[in-house]
Amino acid sequence: MGGLRGGGLGNLRPERTQGRQLRAGAVSAEAKKSKPSLKKIWPQALAIMAPRKGLLLGGLALMVVNRVAGLVMPYTTKPLLDKAFNPAGDPTLLPKFIALVFGAMLLQAITSYALIQLLSIAGQRLIAEMRRNVQKHVGLLSVAYYDANRTGNLVSRIMTDVEGVRNLVGTGLVEFLGGLLTAILAFIFLLHKSVTVTLTVFAALGVFIFILQYAFKTIRPIFRERGKINAEVTGRLTESLGGVRVIKGYHAEAREHEVFGAGVERLLQNVMKSLTLTSVMSSASTTMMGIVSGVVMWLGGHAVIHGQWTTGDYFQYNMFLVFMVAPMIQITSIGTQLTEAFAGLDRTNEIMSELEENQSPERTEKMPPIEGRVRFENVEFSYDPEKPVLHGISFTAEPGTVTALVGSSGSGKSTIISLLCAFHSPGSGKVLVDGYDLSKVDLNTFRSQLGVVLQDSFLFDGSIRENIMFSHPGATEEQFLAACRTARVDEFAERFPEGYETIVGERGVKLSGGQRQRLSIARALLAEPRILILDEATSSLDSESEAMIQSGLARLMEGRTTFVIAHRLSTIRRANQILVVEQGRIVEHGDHDELYALGGRYYDLYTRQHGLEANLFLAPGEGDTVEA
């Protein structure tokens, strides 16, 4: 798809009003979506964990060793108190118990280190893999999806939403299961020690578990909403930083600060809600601990007094009780992390479920190298069903010819080009290239033969060479230099100290408008497309630069089917056909001389732009531009 990328088709947008409607519709649709249940997300979580089941099983094995070793210390409490510390006992047991406990703690330290190294690295690899997958999928979505979603939102989906899933493969899930295992083992031992005391304690814990269930159910939508708010705030910040010249030009720094501040406040309120619930859970944990401690002191104390327990039994029970309750409190924290992971997975799945534009079952036809015969057959199109944009558009562009689209702003010119680029499919009618219906072709085989030069040339923050070679990474040095000479890039690039390795800055900010435009033309030249679209291709050039580059454009257009929008007069006059578009209809069709002689809409546009109404003695061709 070198030709497509080289031209930067992502900058083409539908008419502004339609774009707003599209975004509004998407927001409305999103608002109406029901939140997916945990049952729906869990299979997706399993799908992520399945390829790593060996790693998880290894982690669980280490966790079992870690937790069992951790129970050595509470287990030795009874013999330590009853035998080693008892005046009638054996004091030689003390160093043996110390060695046993130290060995268990050392084993715990080793397994903890191994767990973090094994699972944390796996979690980070999962994040990197998911970011790559989401970015790849987003890159394959339709232009309509980009029109409906802000850049910052998409950045958040790719970079932020996937971070929580590390807890599914990293230490989060394993620690959750490890805590559960410790609690179960401790509970079994406590039952063995005293069924009455343990069931009484467990009844109090049951209330705590009920509170946890309610809290998790409440907190999950909050985390999901936080992701959306964060995406909106990030999106606005991205736009503000990208449009800093406009903001400063209109002295709107304070207004932007207010807008960003309002977004940050919404994010703060969301965080405060989650903190409130977390504090409730923490308070419940503390209260539960107090109740349990009181119950154990009362029942256990009576057991010691009545000779049913020794002092060692009492302390051993309390130690095991701590090892049962502490993991449950830890589970609260880890459960919050897992809830956040599911919320992120929820949003990631939302975007991954979007259909890629080339995945339509109808797109099965592979397009061979094309000649470039373009035909629109009675094409109707609308972004909003109630507001049609194009009405019965029909025309033919033969291979190697130039077709110019002129008309007032919002007349439908850009929509026609979008249909030609297969960004959208007609509501009715057909767009054919060499007889192939564009709604049925494999887009990769078509767009690789398409190139665009836009008025607002998009450049990456790389070198001049990287930006030109972007359309054809495999081009030779000779091809690269030839494109630079034809587009007159060599005239300014070779004057820089670093030549073609000069960094152009974000969106080419270090170059002038004319220099950016020349890079865009060189990029399109290198792509060698069969169909070429020029949108104000020389608008950023001064008269002298334009005159020099016209020969390059002429060479670029040679043998290619070319479509031009609102370009300079010299190109208009050479066009084989001019389509005058108004309110979604082709109202006039012919070459320059025919349409000028007709005295219709084209004549009005021409004379208004060039001031011929006030200077009727000027001959056609002495002006500069034709209205877009």
Side-chain angles (χ1 to χ4, degrees):
M1 296 179 64
L4 175 62
R5 291 193 299 268
L9 283 175
N11 285 345
L12 275 177
R13 288 287 182 264
E15 319 311 324
R16 190 173 302 173
T17 302
Q18 303 298 338
R20 284 198 298 268
Q21 292 166 348
L22 192 60
R23 285 190 290 272
V27 171
S28 175
E30 185 176 355
K32 291 178 181 178
K33 281 184 181 178
S34 59
K35 295 184 177 73
S37 64
L38 190 60
K39 291 181 181 179
K40 184 176 180 181
I41 302 172
W42 185 244
Q44 297 154 13
L46 290 177
I48 289 174
M49 293 184 285
R52 302 165 180 84
K53 60 183 178 182
L55 187 70
L56 287 170
L57 288 173
L60 284 173
L62 286 172
M63 182 59 72
V64 169
V65 174
N66 182 279
R67 297 298 174 146
V68 171
L71 293 175
V72 170
M73 185 177 69
Y75 184 79
T76 58
T77 306
K78 174 179 167 58
L80 189 67
L81 290 173
D82 292 347
K83 296 180 179 179
F85 291 170
N86 194 316
D90 183 4
T92 61
L93 292 175
L94 181 60
K96 295 179 181 179
F97 285 133
I98 292 174
L100 181 62
V101 171
F102 180 78
M105 294 300 104
L106 184 62
L107 185 59
Q108 265 196 300
I110 293 171
T111 52
S112 295
Y113 175 82
L115 274 169
I116 293 173
Q117 286 295 306
L118 185 69
L119 296 179
S120 294
I121 290 174
Q124 292 302 321
R125 283 178 177 163
L126 174 61
I127 291 173
E129 179 184 332
M130 288 195 68
R131 280 174 177 161
R132 286 193 293 266
N133 291 340
V134 176
Q135 187 277 333
K136 180 181 178 182
H137 182 76
V138 169
L140 295 174
L141 297 179
S142 67
V143 170
Y145 185 85
Y146 284 87
D147 291 338
N149 291 273
R150 299 170 68 172
T151 304
N153 193 319
L154 298 178
V155 170
S156 177
R157 294 289 182 99
I158 296 169
M159 296 302 296
T160 305
D161 286 350
V162 302
E163 283 200 0
V165 299
R166 68 179 179 274
N167 291 307
L168 298 178
V169 173
T171 54
L173 181 61
V174 172
E175 284 184 2
F176 184 87
L177 296 175
L180 199 59
L181 174 66
T182 302
I184 291 171
L185 291 176
F187 179 68
I188 292 172
F189 182 85
L190 293 174
L191 275 178
H192 171 73
K193 204 71 179 172
S194 173
V195 174
T196 304
V197 177
T198 303
L199 289 181
T200 305
V201 169
F202 196 73
L205 290 176
V207 177
F208 178 64
I209 292 171
F210 175 78
I211 294 173
L212 280 185
Q213 286 182 334
Y214 174 78
F216 286 147
K217 183 178 179 181
T218 307
I219 205 170
R220 182 167 169 260
I222 295 175
F223 279 122
R224 179 179 173 83
E225 183 66 19
R226 182 184 301 178
K228 291 181 180 180
I229 297 172
N230 188 62
E232 291 172 7
V233 174
T234 304
R236 182 67 187 202
L237 180 59
T238 303
E239 290 175 353
S240 298
L241 296 176
V244 65
R245 287 170 175 77
V246 176
I247 292 170
K248 288 185 175 295
Y250 288 98
H251 190 51
E253 294 93 339
R255 293 201 302 274
E256 278 302 305
H257 174 70
E258 288 177 8
V259 172
F260 180 72
V264 170
E265 180 63 26
R266 287 177 58 209
L267 188 59
L268 174 62
Q269 293 301 322
N270 179 277
V271 172
M272 288 173 66
K273 283 182 184 177
S274 64
L275 288 176
T276 299
L277 281 172
T278 304
S279 63
V280 168
M281 293 161 68
S282 178
S283 298
S285 302
T286 305
T287 304
M288 182 268 299
M289 284 292 292
I291 294 173
V292 168
S293 298
V295 169
V296 172
M297 289 177 68
W298 175 261
L299 297 177
H302 276 74
V304 173
I305 292 170
H306 290 92
Q308 298 169 346
W309 280 4
T310 65
T311 304
D313 286 322
Y314 177 80
F315 278 98
Q316 187 183 54
Y317 190 93
N318 275 280
M319 290 291 286
F320 267 91
L321 183 62
V322 170
F323 273 74
M324 182 183 76
V325 174
M328 295 187 68
I329 296 173
Q330 184 186 30
I331 285 171
T332 302
S333 173
I334 299 173
T336 302
Q337 295 173 13
L338 291 176
T339 300
E340 191 170 2
F342 281 119
L345 185 60
D346 208 353
R347 284 168 51 78
T348 299
N349 176 67
E350 196 176 88
I351 197 170
M352 292 298 286
S353 64
E354 292 286 340
L355 187 67
E356 295 175 6
E357 63 175 344
N358 207 29
Q359 280 186 338
S360 172
E362 298 177 351
R363 294 195 175 279
T364 56
E365 298 182 18
K366 303 287 185 181
M367 184 170 278
I370 60 176
E371 293 182 9
R373 187 174 192 269
V374 176
R375 180 174 179 81
F376 275 57
E377 292 184 352
N378 199 31
V379 170
E380 306 272 343
F381 179 79
S382 63
Y383 300 99
D384 183 338
E386 297 180 359
K387 297 180 180 180
V389 178
L390 299 181
H391 310 271
I393 299 294
S394 297
F395 67 87
T396 300
E398 297 294 341
T401 61
V402 177
T403 299
L405 299 174
V406 299
S408 57
S409 178
S411 60
K413 303 185 302 299
S414 294
T415 301
I416 292 174
I417 294 301
S418 290
L419 290 171
L420 175 57
C421 295
F423 290 156
H424 306 281
S425 296
S428 63
K430 293 181 180 180
V431 180
L432 305 171
V433 175
D434 286 4
Y436 288 87
D437 187 345
L438 290 188
S439 65
K440 297 180 180 178
V441 301
D442 183 322
L443 292 174
N444 295 324
T445 61
F446 169 59
R447 289 186 182 156
S448 60
Q449 307 182 69
L450 191 65
V452 177
V453 179
L454 299 171
Q455 177 182 6
D456 182 18
S457 304
F458 181 87
L459 300 179
F460 295 95
D461 186 12
S463 66
I464 292 174
R465 179 185 298 275
E466 288 169 344
N467 274 282
I468 295 175
M469 294 284 284
F470 186 79
S471 65
H472 187 7
T476 64
E477 184 69 11
E478 290 75 15
Q479 290 172 318
F480 167 73
L481 293 175
C484 290
R485 284 193 297 271
T486 303
R488 300 292 193 269
V489 172
D490 57 334
E491 294 181 358
F492 65 87
E494 294 178 2
R495 291 201 299 267
F496 293 136
E498 297 177 6
Y500 293 109
E501 307 309 319
T502 301
I503 302 299
V504 302
E506 187 177 3
R507 300 183 67 90
V509 69
K510 295 181 180 179
L511 302 178
S512 70
Q515 290 170 339
R516 290 196 297 269
Q517 199 75 332
R518 293 191 207 183
L519 255 66
S520 181
I521 292 171
R523 185 164 56 186
L525 277 165
L526 198 61
E528 297 186 351
R530 295 303 308 152
I531 296 178
L532 177 67
I533 296 169
L534 303 175
D535 185 2
E536 291 279 12
T538 58
S539 63
S540 297
L541 304 175
D542 54 48
S543 298
E544 184 179 355
S545 298
E546 183 202 358
M548 289 191 299
I549 215 167
Q550 282 299 341
S551 60
L553 281 176
R555 197 173 304 175
L556 176 60
M557 294 160 63
E558 245 175 52
R560 296 181 171 90
T561 306
T562 304
F563 289 82
V564 290
I565 301 178
H567 44 71
R568 296 296 177 101
L569 177 61
S570 54
T571 311
I572 283 278
R573 290 179 61 81
R574 288 200 305 269
N576 300 93
Q577 63 176 342
I578 299 172
L579 307 179
V580 182
V581 184
E582 290 296 336
Q583 297 182 356
R585 292 181 171 84
I586 296 177
V587 295
E588 293 178 4
H589 179 194
D591 61 25
H592 171 77
D593 293 333
E594 292 171 346
L595 296 180
Y596 187 83
L598 190 64
R601 179 58 178 157
Y602 178 79
Y603 177 85
D604 291 340
L605 291 173
Y606 185 90
T607 52
R608 186 183 311 126
Q609 183 68 34
H610 299 291
L612 293 187
E613 293 167 340
N615 301 280
L616 296 177
F617 55 85
L618 287 180
E622 293 181 17
D624 285 326
T625 61
V626 170
E627 161 99 23

